[in-house]
Amino acid sequence: TRTVTDVICPFCGTLCDDLEVVVSDDGKELLEVYNACAIGAEKFLHSQAKDRITRPRMRQEDGSWKEISYDEAIEYTARMLTDAKKPLMYGWSSTNCEAQAVGSEIGEVVGAVMDNTATVCHGTSLIAVQDIGIPSCTLGEVKNRADRILFWGCNPAHAHPRHMSRYSIFPRGFFTGKGHTGRKVIVVDPRPTDTASVADVHLQVEQGRDYELLNAFRVAFKGEQLPDVVAGIPKEKIYEAAETLKSGRFVIIFFGMGVTQSLGKNHNIDEAIAVTRDLNEYTKAAIMPMRGHYNVTGSGQVWGWLFGFPYAVDLSRGFARYNPGETTSNDLLRRDEVDAVFVLGSDPGAHFPFSSVKKIYDRPSVAIDPHETPTTEVCKVHVPVAFVGVEVGGCAYRMDNVPIETRKVVEPPEGMMTDEEFLKHVLARVKEIQGE
Ligand code: SF4
């Protein structure tokens, strides 16, 4: 056996880059994974599953699957996209930027709506950034400088398990040599989470009252009067937490879907950014969304430079339009405005409302995914592909917008295509069909 070092974990937006993977000498078998958290290790090990699907499949009338060739899958996908008036091409968060770029060209050629998983997570954060900008930083700066950490509506202990040990609460950095003993940690969450249990302060905000509490922080920074209780928190605790933040040398606010997808949505993030801006009157402060999929940030980057918008990009009129609420996947599906669905690198079957999933089931649909998922179960064609970051490399963007080159550590099953290869074939076939 041999050990591959400095391997990147293609699971969450933390994109840990210190994994060690033991593979057989011929590079065909992956045997052990070191340094990853449980979910990261499982992703690598799952590539070795004996029951892994290795050939494309098409759903039959009776609901059963029939194995088809990659050529047939390419033909179905190309025909589906060219026949449709307005196809939805959704996902793009669990693949590399190279595949995202080819997918974007297909979207442009067929006039699709391109949307990624930000549509149900940090899309609201992106809207807020467009509204008022964002004072942010890298995770390296957090590790080396931050002595006040605020987690708002996120639970990294479960969603980003090594975030706290590598970047936020525990690591010893250049100016943070005392590790967690030199830091103060505040968690704002309606629930007593595992992250809250390691914090110095847990503010148990009333569900859906984040906007009020963020606003109260801005009042407290200025030392002005607050009502006795705001969002379920006594004012003394708010003044105290505000002082804790102001007295730090470097404050970082991390936030998650508890604020982006609860009452107030993008306005919560406007206010959280305003809190950060206000804090910079007293000390240095930055704010960062806790991005989930390992390359959702990259798909926003790729579309940002290609189309000017990070998600919900409607190309059906031959130019890029962006109007969240209108050009977002769930709105389009539920209003019957798309007539074919292509999914790659995401699982809307597990995360969209049932009414949207049913619409996917009713339409011509293709799911490109190494795993069997609730989405593959409702799609007409399932195309298994190599695992990005395990069986093929490529660029991914960490949650702080730092691009990192992922690594191939093991060979994919024989004859299996990568996302990028499959998409390149589909693009070529689409162009052929359009030329006929
Ligand atoms: Fe992978 Fe995220 Fe776990 Fe790091 S924290 S090992 S990137 S799943």
Side-chain angles (χ1 to χ4, degrees):
T1 62
R2 60 191 167 87
T3 303
V4 190
T5 56
D6 304 315
V7 175
I8 318 299
C9 172
F11 190 87
C12 83
T14 314
L15 222 53
C16 294
D17 54 7
D18 62 342
L19 272 51
E20 295 188 357
V21 179
V22 180
V23 294
S24 59
D25 286 322
D26 60 4
K28 287 193 175 153
E29 256 183 287
L30 188 155
L31 304 165
E32 305 261 11
V33 183
Y34 294 109
N35 298 347
C37 68
I39 40 180
E42 199 48 46
K43 173 135 189 198
F44 281 89
L45 295 171
H46 189 252
S47 68
Q48 305 300 301
K50 294 281 172 279
D51 58 351
R52 182 169 165 191
I53 303 211
T54 54
R55 288 291 169 268
R57 319 179 280 170
M58 184 178 276
R59 181 83 60 195
Q60 303 299 292
E61 290 276 308
D62 64 359
S64 64
W65 287 111
K66 179 182 157 223
E67 192 176 301
I68 57 172
S69 65
Y70 272 104
D71 283 345
E72 287 170 295
I74 291 161
E75 183 66 23
Y76 178 92
T77 310
R79 287 272 168 209
M80 177 188 89
L81 292 172
T82 44
D83 287 350
K85 271 203 190 124
K86 190 171 178 177
L88 171 64
M89 296 182 75
Y90 176 77
W92 308 105
S93 300
S94 288
T95 189
N96 53 27
C97 294
E98 290 80 352
Q100 289 162 355
V102 182
S104 308
E105 192 178 343
I106 300 177
E108 217 171 324
V109 173
V110 301
V113 180
M114 307 292 291
D115 199 9
N116 59 35
T117 53
T119 207
V120 285
C121 69
H122 277 288
T124 51
S125 313
L126 297 165
I127 297 173
V129 173
Q130 287 154 351
D131 283 349
I132 60 171
I134 186 163
S136 200
C137 65
T138 64
L139 288 173
E141 284 177 276
V142 173
K143 171 183 170 177
N144 287 304
R145 295 176 184 277
D147 60 348
R148 298 289 184 271
I149 319 269
L150 172 55
F151 288 112
W152 199 304
C154 55
N155 186 12
H158 287 223
H160 303 81
R162 296 183 73 217
H163 187 279
M164 300 191 301
S165 59
R166 273 176 67 79
Y167 296 114
S168 46
I169 302 182
F170 299 107
R172 292 164 193 267
F174 196 82
F175 299 110
T176 49
K178 290 191 185 140
H180 76 280
T181 54
R183 295 190 174 97
K184 288 260 181 292
V185 179
I186 302 176
V187 168
V188 180
D189 203 300
R191 297 168 306 162
T193 60
D194 285 337
T195 306
S197 70
V198 296
D200 298 287
V201 180
H202 175 205
L203 300 178
Q204 207 163 356
V205 61
E206 257 173 49
Q207 168 72 42
R209 293 277 167 255
D210 301 273
Y211 188 92
E212 285 89 327
L213 188 56
L214 286 160
N215 216 285
F217 265 98
R218 299 182 69 193
V219 173
F221 291 153
K222 294 196 168 72
E224 289 175 8
Q225 279 305 311
L226 283 172
D228 289 345
V229 177
V230 179
I233 314 288
K235 68 175 178 189
E236 296 73 24
K237 284 185 102 176
I238 301 173
Y239 283 124
E240 206 180 313
E243 276 316 307
T244 302
L245 295 177
K246 277 167 71 175
S247 64
R249 278 180 295 131
F250 189 117
V251 183
I252 177 73
I253 303 175
F254 290 111
F255 64 99
M257 268 175 279
V259 254
T260 65
Q261 294 297 335
S262 59
L263 195 67
K265 294 211 165 183
N266 54 307
H267 299 296
N268 293 336
I269 314 310
D270 285 347
E271 200 59 14
I273 295 171
V275 164
T276 316
R277 200 176 51 196
D278 287 4
L279 268 172
N280 276 293
E281 298 279 323
Y282 309 97
T283 180
K284 168 80 185 161
I287 182 166
M288 192 185 301
M290 297 285 276
R291 305 306 298 271
H293 292 69
Y294 71 88
N295 198 24
V296 59
T297 311
S299 95
Q301 287 280 352
V302 170
W303 294 350
W305 75 63
L306 286 174
F307 305 131
F309 307 110
Y311 78 113
V313 185
D314 181 350
L315 302 166
S316 64
R317 296 189 196 177
F319 57 92
R321 283 176 71 244
Y322 163 79
N323 192 12
E326 184 200 339
T327 58
T328 24
S329 303
N330 281 297
D331 303 278
L332 292 164
L333 285 166
R334 293 167 76 172
R335 285 198 301 258
D336 283 321
E337 286 178 27
V338 283
D339 51 354
V341 182
F342 171 100
V343 181
L344 185 148
S346 134
D347 190 4
H351 301 117
F352 277 11
F354 181 70
S355 50
S356 299
V357 179
K358 199 166 171 309
K359 296 290 168 82
I360 300 176
Y361 178 80
D362 291 340
R363 282 160 179 65
S365 49
V366 181
I368 322 296
D369 203 301
H371 305 94
E372 267 183 286
T373 65
T375 303
T376 62
E377 289 317 291
V378 295
C379 282
K380 306 285 175 293
V381 168
H382 171 207
V383 185
V385 276
F387 282 84
V388 172
V390 181
E391 297 166 339
V392 58
C395 179
Y397 278 72
R398 202 167 63 185
M399 62 166 73
D400 54 355
N401 285 297
V402 171
I404 295 179
E405 200 61 27
T406 67
R407 300 185 66 174
K408 170 178 175 168
V409 290
V410 69
E411 291 297 330
E414 216 172 301
M416 180 166 277
M417 283 193 181
T418 64
D419 289 325
E420 190 186 356
E421 285 165 352
F422 180 77
L423 289 166
K424 279 187 169 160
H425 285 292
V426 171
L427 176 61
R429 185 68 190 121
V430 162
K431 286 183 174 167
E432 259 173 38
I433 295 171
Q434 288 185 337
E436 276 165 11

